[in-house]
Amino acid sequence: MQISFSLNDEPVTVDVDPSTLLSDLIREQLSLTGTHVGCDTSQCGACVVHVNGDSVKSCTMLAVSADGGEVRTVEGLSKSDADLHPMQIAFRENHGLQCGFCTPGMLMSAIDLVKNNPDPNEAEIREWLEGNICRCTGYQNIVKSIIAGAAAMRAAS
Amino acid sequence: MRSFNYHKPDTLDAALALLSGNDEALPIAGGMTLLPTMKQRLAAPEDLVDLSGLPGLADVAMEGDILVIGAMTRHADVAASPLVKEKLPALANLASRIGDQQVRHRGTIGGSISNNDPAADYPAAVLALNAEIVTSKRTIAADDFFVAMFETALEPGELVTAIRFPLPEVAAYMKFANPASRYALAGVFVAKTTSAVRVAVTGAGPSVFRASDIEAALAESFDATALERISIDASELMSDIHADNEYRANLVMVMARRAVALAQQSG
């Protein structure tokens, strides 16, 4: 069936089978491979994108559910490498990633957190990251990155 | 997952018509349980009826002394609702601890109770608060709604439209969450009204249940110390890879005492 939605501020219209997951549509049909599929069981959070402004796990949402809505992926955070989102800069500066697999989901979750809570403390960040799993860093630098990223987002707004 | 015919009706009547008499049709709300089940091919509906286009099912409002929450209200919206926080903070707190934030952005209260997962959080609140479940054809008391593991009093094609919560004097929910899934290994919801104390336990048994010994002790004295000499029978509780039944029986009492202490503080 045909669906239309806004993807990173650009209108898209695609034909999908109703059983297509949003993560598969984004990666396989639309070739935006920044959104990662780690566990495919809604545990790990590597596939987190924003749908109508809320962070959701795109591996556990039908693509047809995005019809008429707004989807933002990690590619939609910045126009170029020279123009990174403050949260991306914070992850780079604070060594918030090692292998990078979980990073797209971490960024999308973190930015949604700051939207809801502009100045989160460490406990609030760790609580919010419940659904994002990292197997490299032990979260220490991710939390540090998000504190710095939130401060940068506050300064920019 | 196997493919299906996708329907997104825009009226409740249209949704009911699509489900009526069709054994191969399933309704989907947030899909937080159904989609993983379909991925594993444990469910393979021919027709999937998406309820997200139905109007008026995601409202939160007071009707007299009753807090009414629409079936399609997401966990994140219950958790953040100023009205729920003011009138029934224990429920907002419960909703804020379901799964993780991304799950709470999709999952709904109606979907949760209709699924009746033995470790889900909402059934404990619905049962302890003596809520009423409003469906497309009738109103069902919480005591009659949760029948068995993944089984409710809902008939095929019957949809929950709202849950009506009478307000307690004090209430609280405490759970010991599985650290991976955040499902309750044991969760206890305690609610005290002017006339009774009701205690519902989730996560520990094959389905949510009321703990009558705990209720009786708390009816005499609503204090955590009243539970010091009480234990619950482990023989009916679940044992699995995460915890055996004896451990769950102990957790139920620990969570019950903590819930009472929290209810006293918040009251």
Side-chain angles (χ1 to χ4, degrees):
Chain A
M1 60 183 282
Q2 194 174 74
I3 60 170
S4 299
F5 57 98
S6 149
L7 178 63
N8 299 331
D9 303 319
E10 300 288 336
V12 292
T13 298
V14 284
D15 266 315
V16 292
D17 184 276
S19 65
T20 306
L21 298 167
L22 181 58
S23 53
D24 288 339
L25 170 66
I26 291 168
R27 288 178 55 83
E28 308 294 335
Q29 264 179 270
L30 300 171
S31 301
L32 294 182
T33 54
T35 299
H36 292 167
V37 176
C39 67
D40 206 16
T41 56
S42 42
Q43 311 275 327
C44 81
C47 68
V48 170
V49 301
H50 296 174
V51 175
N52 300 327
D54 288 332
S55 55
V56 300
K57 293 182 168 171
S58 62
C59 82
T60 311
M61 178 172 163
L62 296 174
V64 289
S65 296
D67 190 23
E70 289 179 13
V71 177
R72 185 170 301 279
T73 68
V74 69
E75 288 90 348
L77 293 184
S78 53
K79 295 272 182 255
S80 72
D81 289 353
D83 180 33
L84 292 180
H85 188 283
M87 191 62 79
Q88 291 174 305
I89 295 171
F91 269 68
R92 185 178 64 190
E93 290 181 349
N94 291 280
H95 197 168
L97 60 149
Q98 189 167 312
C99 86
F101 192 90
C102 71
T103 312
M106 289 288 176
L107 288 167
M108 300 313 282
S109 283
I111 290 165
D112 190 28
L113 165 63
V114 176
K115 185 191 80 181
N116 284 279
N117 179 356
D119 190 10
N121 63 32
E122 178 175 343
E124 289 165 338
I125 291 170
R126 288 182 182 274
E127 170 70 26
W128 190 276
L129 292 185
E130 186 58 55
N132 290 86
I133 294 176
C134 166
R135 296 285 83 143
C136 297
T137 69
Y139 303 97
Q140 200 63 32
N141 286 348
I142 293 173
V143 173
K144 219 166 108 185
S145 302
I146 294 174
I147 289 172
M153 285 172 69
R154 287 197 304 279
S157 68
Chain B
M1 86 178 73
R2 256 185 49 193
S3 194
F4 46 81
N5 301 309
Y6 175 79
H7 310 273
K8 192 174 176 185
D10 50 18
T11 66
L12 182 60
D13 285 345
L16 294 170
L18 285 161
L19 293 166
S20 166
N22 183 351
D23 292 343
E24 299 299 322
L26 282 177
I28 184 167
M32 293 297 94
T33 299
L34 183 55
L35 289 174
T37 310
M38 287 168 65
K39 283 184 181 181
Q40 296 178 68
R41 302 206 174 185
L42 297 172
E46 296 278 333
D47 293 273
L48 195 66
V49 181
D50 186 344
L51 305 178
S52 66
L54 306 184
L57 290 188
D59 298 332
V60 177
M62 288 299 294
E63 284 181 18
D65 294 333
I66 308 283
L67 176 67
V68 184
I69 300 183
M72 289 295 288
T73 311
R74 305 178 308 165
H75 309 328
D77 295 328
V78 172
S81 161
L83 191 62
V84 180
K85 282 195 211 173
E86 180 199 333
K87 299 292 184 184
L88 194 44
L91 192 70
N93 183 40
L94 175 149
S96 77
R97 298 189 58 216
I98 298 172
D100 56 54
Q101 189 64 37
Q102 288 72 39
V103 166
R104 294 192 288 271
H105 277 147
R106 298 285 304 163
T108 68
I109 186 170
S112 171
I113 68 165
S114 300
N115 187 49
N116 193 18
D117 188 298
D121 297 298
Y122 268 131
V126 169
L127 189 57
L129 291 164
N130 200 17
E132 289 180 330
I133 294 93
V134 184
T135 78
S136 48
K137 54 171 75 160
R138 56 189 164 144
T139 298
I140 307 172
D143 282 318
D144 301 326
F145 185 80
F146 302 104
V147 173
M149 184 183 280
F150 295 115
E151 193 182 331
T152 66
L154 291 172
E155 292 167 7
E158 184 176 14
L159 293 173
V160 174
T161 56
I163 299 95
R164 296 171 56 84
F165 291 98
L167 298 183
E169 276 186 348
V170 292
Y173 177 66
M174 287 296 293
K175 75 167 163 178
F176 190 91
N178 176 321
S181 71
R182 313 313 288 174
Y183 273 108
L185 279 181
V188 178
F189 200 107
V190 173
K192 179 179 184 295
T193 64
T194 46
S195 58
V197 177
R198 289 170 65 104
V199 177
V201 178
T202 189
S207 177
V208 66
F209 64 92
R210 285 176 64 189
S212 48
D213 289 353
I214 301 177
E215 289 182 354
L218 292 176
E220 243 170 65
S221 165
F222 193 78
D223 193 279
T225 57
L227 300 180
E228 278 169 4
R229 291 170 183 277
I230 308 269
S231 61
I232 73 160
D233 180 6
S235 64
E236 303 281 310
L237 302 185
M238 293 190 294
S239 284
D240 58 26
I241 186 174
H242 305 296
D244 66 19
N245 57 336
E246 298 283 348
Y247 181 61
R248 278 191 162 90
N250 185 60
L251 275 183
V252 168
M253 293 314 304
V254 175
M255 293 303 116
R257 289 195 292 271
R258 289 185 189 172
V260 172
L262 181 62
Q264 286 173 311
Q265 279 173 27
S266 57

